[in-house]
Amino acid sequence: MTNTDSPEPAPPSPDQTPNFEFPTQDVLVTERRPSGARSFIEWVVVIVGAVVLALVIKTFLFQAFYIPSESMVPTLEIGDRVLVNKLSYRLHDVHRGDIVVFERPPLDQTGEDIEDLIKRVIGLPGDRIVIRDGHVYINGQLLSEPYLPSGTKTENGPTDKCTEDKPCVVPEGSLWVMGDNRGSSRDSRWFGPIPERDVVGRAFFRIWPLSRFGSL
């Protein structure tokens, strides 16, 4: 009688044991820490780069200015700090109503050690300015000035110009500027129009105090 059951396979000999290959694991190599000299050089490069970047920004893009006087009250108070865009007028013309920082005119002799002034642009090149009955007229039209406190009166300067008989005409390449605090501002009523080339930039943002942080 034939046995139909399959015989059990014999265990493999040592020579027949399957050879399984396992993937080689990545080896984490710890890099050497930079030497003191190399670390120092890296820090010098970072600091120099930061200083150069700050100088580029201050020279060509933005600069913060401190308000030392009350000539722009209530728009700007003494001690406020504003950010000035130096690039604005390379991209577009000056607009009436802009608040600008400009180099102090030689005719503004007050004895104060102030290099730059900040005022609002009232007249543009070619404008005829007349001050009458406490108001400003540009080319015969009453100038709307919503930034002034109610009841503000604009008086003429010591030269008694800008009258109907002797209007102040803004030359080409110049601007007529005035402070918002009309009763306490030495401006174009005193030293006349300013050259556009003396404009440092447009004040567009108040960065201090934080309670009045915001655009101008």
Side-chain angles (χ1 to χ4, degrees), residues 149-168:
S150 178
T152 297
K153 290 188 177 298
T154 302
E155 302 298 339
N156 219 317
T159 57
D160 198 29
K161 294 181 180 179
C162 302
T163 62
E164 294 283 2
D165 296 333
K166 295 184 291 185
C168 294

Side-chain angles (χ1 to χ4, degrees), residues 96 122-129 138-139 167-177 188 192-194 196:
R96 195 188 322 278
I122 300 299
L124 300 174
D127 283 348
R128 298 169 64 85
I129 299 172
I138 305 291
N139 301 324
C168 294
V169 180
V170 184
E172 288 298 319
S174 299
L175 302 168
W176 186 275
V177 296
S188 288
I194 64 167
E196 286 190 68

